[in-house]
Amino acid sequence: MLNLSPQDWQGIWLTLKLCCYTTLILLVVATPIAWWLARGHSLIKTLVQAIVALPLVLPPTVLGFYLLTALGPKGPVGGALVAMGLQPLAFTFNGILLGSVIYSLPFAVQPLQQAFTAMGQRPLEVAASLGAGPIARLYSVVLPLCKGGFVVAATLAFAHTLGEFGVVLMLGGSIPGETRVLSILIYDHAESLDFAAAQRLALLLLAFSFAVLFVVYGLNRRRPFGPGVKNHA
Amino acid sequence: MTIFKKLLAASALLLLTQFAYGQTVTVATAASVRYAMDELAADFHQQYPKWQLRVVYGSSGKLTAQIQNGAPFDLFYAADMHWPQLLEKGGFAATKTQPYAVGRLVLWHPGSTQPIALDDLASASVHRLAIAQPSHAPYGLRAQQVLQAKGLWQKVQSKLVFGENIGQTAQMVKSGAAQMGLVALSLVKTPDVDPKTYQLVDASLHQPLVQGFIVTKQGEKNAGAKLFVTFMHSPKAAKVLEKHGFQTPN
């Protein structure tokens, strides 16, 4: 029924790969940041919190432009990579992966931070008094109590990366199989006046995005996600 | 945490099935050559099955900036001579800029099958006229030159909408967002566009649309890139280009 071309499948596959990697990296990166932010207040924490939230308000072209100049062969990061005999990151899959991680960072940090804050210190203190070490506390207290926060963080990071356009457009260069993700491919189809192909992929993304949110809200209703994050997402 | 396990399993699967590109040539192509290049890429692959063409489209100016910033393109087929020559001067090219096609500008007005004179563009019945960005799209610059030569540039200012490249400009016209536009002949010379809805613009009103290509510094090492350049000089390729509205330079 959908009649997708090999080019479309390549785009779908690439997009899923980007979303999975981004989500995975974000869960690892965002957890300690959220944990640190959830514990107490200080000027430096407010500062970090503002920086983490920047991608929420920053035009993606601004982020894309900075990344492009930093990661290109003449930029500080790209230049250093070239000096080490490696490829600069601009116009590569790893480049857009880095862009996606930064772009979706607040979507992973914020639900986790809320879940950690809502959990509070008390359960950890109780566990510690019962003799649980740091690792045991992480596995038997934090993860089960904040499971909802992790699910929301992962879902939002995934969905937000799926909808990424401006950053990938600036930093990616629409290379098939490398940086031409679905949102770019739709743009490309429309530009080649193939409105039918653009329509098919747009519909696919619409249905998928709706399904993701529907499932999240459905789970939320049935089994509230951990303390305090009920109405996130 | 099953979710972590699932994610781990998914990523392991992704790692295992990384794209195994064998022999590819990445070609940065001006949007005006889009349809021709799609066909040429297929023909090339048919003739040399072990080589696959990856084609990236955009405005010539944007693609030039991308090459300057390290984009992994082996070849660059531009919409004029200026942009590839700029790369040549900057040391990004392995060859001199050579012409491969000559394009034409058309006035496309899908809403009407009657010819429309350029002078009529200033009339009140024309609300929106699409052209490509003159600053980085050669067809946009030629459109600006035509309007200036006709003394219309100031008069149509308030009606102009700009596409990032000539493909997006054609998209604005096709979707009806702009009533008409100055676009590349190669983008409307397709079976689904009524030839009565466009007419050629007098080529003496603008700089010629001689389109040039280069092999980039990166492409120098790619044997497939050289093969494709040779293929593009073949009578077969010339036929494809002509079919899509290009003249081939002698």
Side-chain angles (χ1 to χ4, degrees):
Chain A
M1 180 192 88
L2 271 171
N3 197 15
L4 297 167
S5 68
Q7 197 189 21
D8 292 341
W9 282 112
Q10 189 185 45
I12 290 170
W13 181 238
L14 181 70
T15 307
L16 287 178
K17 186 168 98 162
L18 181 69
C19 292
C20 286
Y21 281 2
T22 303
T23 308
L24 205 68
I25 292 172
L26 273 177
L27 284 178
V28 174
V29 172
T31 305
I33 297 177
W35 185 261
W36 181 70
L37 285 175
R39 308 271 148 234
H41 297 278
S42 67
L43 190 64
I44 182 101
K45 283 188 191 186
T46 311
L47 195 75
V48 170
Q49 199 165 6
I51 292 171
V52 165
L54 262 183
L56 288 176
V57 290
L58 208 60
T61 42
V62 174
L63 186 59
F65 174 71
Y66 278 132
L67 284 169
L68 181 64
T69 43
L71 302 181
K74 290 194 204 101
V77 180
L81 286 171
V82 171
M84 287 187 287
L86 298 167
Q87 257 217 322
L89 283 172
F91 311 110
T92 63
F93 177 76
N94 288 337
I96 60 166
L97 179 59
L98 179 65
S100 306
V101 167
I102 295 171
Y103 180 61
S104 296
L105 186 64
F107 290 83
V109 170
Q110 291 186 350
L112 287 175
Q113 189 187 339
Q114 286 181 40
F116 294 153
T117 308
M119 178 185 69
Q121 286 287 31
R122 185 93 185 109
L124 293 173
E125 286 163 8
V126 173
S129 72
L130 292 170
I135 303 290
R137 270 178 284 168
L138 178 69
Y139 274 95
S140 56
V141 180
V142 179
L143 292 183
L145 275 180
C146 299
K147 189 177 173 184
F150 281 103
V151 172
V152 172
T155 312
L156 286 184
F158 191 95
H160 192 240
T161 307
L162 190 75
E164 189 178 352
F165 177 72
V167 178
V168 184
L169 186 72
M170 302 257 326
L171 186 61
S174 187
I175 302 168
E178 180 87 22
T179 59
R180 190 181 286 168
V181 295
L182 279 181
S183 57
I184 302 283
L185 189 56
I186 291 172
Y187 181 72
D188 226 54
H189 278 322
E191 238 173 39
S192 72
L193 308 186
D194 193 350
F195 284 16
Q199 191 79 264
R200 280 195 295 272
L201 288 182
L203 192 68
L204 193 75
L205 274 187
L206 177 71
F208 185 81
S209 306
F210 175 77
V212 166
L213 291 178
F214 187 80
V215 167
V216 169
Y217 281 121
L219 283 173
N220 212 348
R221 192 170 289 263
R222 200 155 49 87
R223 180 169 48 81
F225 282 136
V229 286
K230 276 179 203 165
N231 292 319
H232 207 92
Chain B
M1 288 306 288
T2 50
I3 183 141
F4 288 135
K5 281 187 195 149
K6 274 181 200 157
L7 279 171
L8 275 174
S11 60
L13 197 77
L14 285 168
L15 269 177
L16 283 173
T17 45
Q18 279 279 4
F19 295 108
Y21 275 115
Q23 315 256 48
T24 58
V25 183
T26 308
V27 189
T29 308
S32 53
V33 200
R34 171 161 216 138
Y35 299 139
M37 193 57 89
D38 282 345
E39 196 173 330
L40 290 163
D43 289 350
F44 178 69
H45 182 58
Q46 204 176 22
Q47 196 165 333
Y48 304 97
K50 76 167 188 168
W51 289 99
Q52 189 90 42
L53 229 57
R54 283 201 298 185
V55 192
V56 176
Y57 304 100
S59 69
S60 298
K62 184 177 86 176
L63 294 169
T64 298
Q66 292 185 339
I67 292 170
Q68 287 170 341
N69 280 290
F73 303 147
D74 298 312
L75 298 166
F76 177 33
Y77 283 84
D80 67 1
M81 299 292 279
H82 165 76
W83 292 106
Q85 274 164 353
L86 198 72
L87 287 171
E88 203 185 308
K89 280 190 202 115
F92 295 95
T95 60
K96 284 208 150 310
T97 305
Q98 286 172 280
Y100 65 94
V102 182
R104 286 296 296 271
L105 203 59
V106 297
L107 177 64
W108 187 23
H109 41 80
S112 153
T113 50
Q114 297 301 313
I116 292 176
L118 286 172
D119 290 315
D120 290 342
L121 294 178
S123 80
S125 60
V126 178
H127 308 293
R128 282 265 175 267
L129 174 68
I131 69 171
Q133 278 291 354
S135 60
H136 56 247
Y139 278 84
L141 184 62
R142 300 311 185 277
Q144 182 182 357
Q145 289 167 351
V146 167
L147 293 170
Q148 280 168 336
K150 280 278 180 184
L152 294 165
W153 183 242
Q154 293 306 326
K155 291 181 199 156
V156 298
Q157 274 305 313
S158 60
K159 318 173 171 190
L160 287 181
V161 284
F162 298 92
E164 191 272 323
N165 59 57
I166 200 65
Q168 201 191 10
T169 310
Q171 171 206 328
M172 289 169 166
V173 179
K174 186 183 173 177
S175 69
Q179 261 170 304
M180 50 188 80
L182 288 163
V183 303
L185 171 63
S186 53
L187 294 181
V188 291
K189 210 173 174 227
T190 60
D192 52 344
V193 174
D194 180 350
K196 289 200 199 77
T197 61
Y198 60 83
Q199 72 245 27
L200 285 169
V201 172
D202 180 358
S204 67
L205 293 173
H206 59 76
Q207 277 176 287
L209 275 160
V210 179
Q211 309 198 189
F213 79 95
I214 49 157
V215 179
T216 66
K217 272 271 145 67
Q218 159 168 329
E220 203 179 5
K221 291 164 263 167
N222 190 330
K226 287 201 187 85
L227 209 56
F228 186 71
V229 169
T230 315
F231 170 80
M232 281 295 275
H233 285 124
S234 68
K236 190 177 177 184
K239 223 178 208 169
V240 173
L241 284 168
E242 270 159 33
K243 184 179 122 189
H244 287 276
F246 291 105
Q247 283 171 292
T248 37
N250 10 346

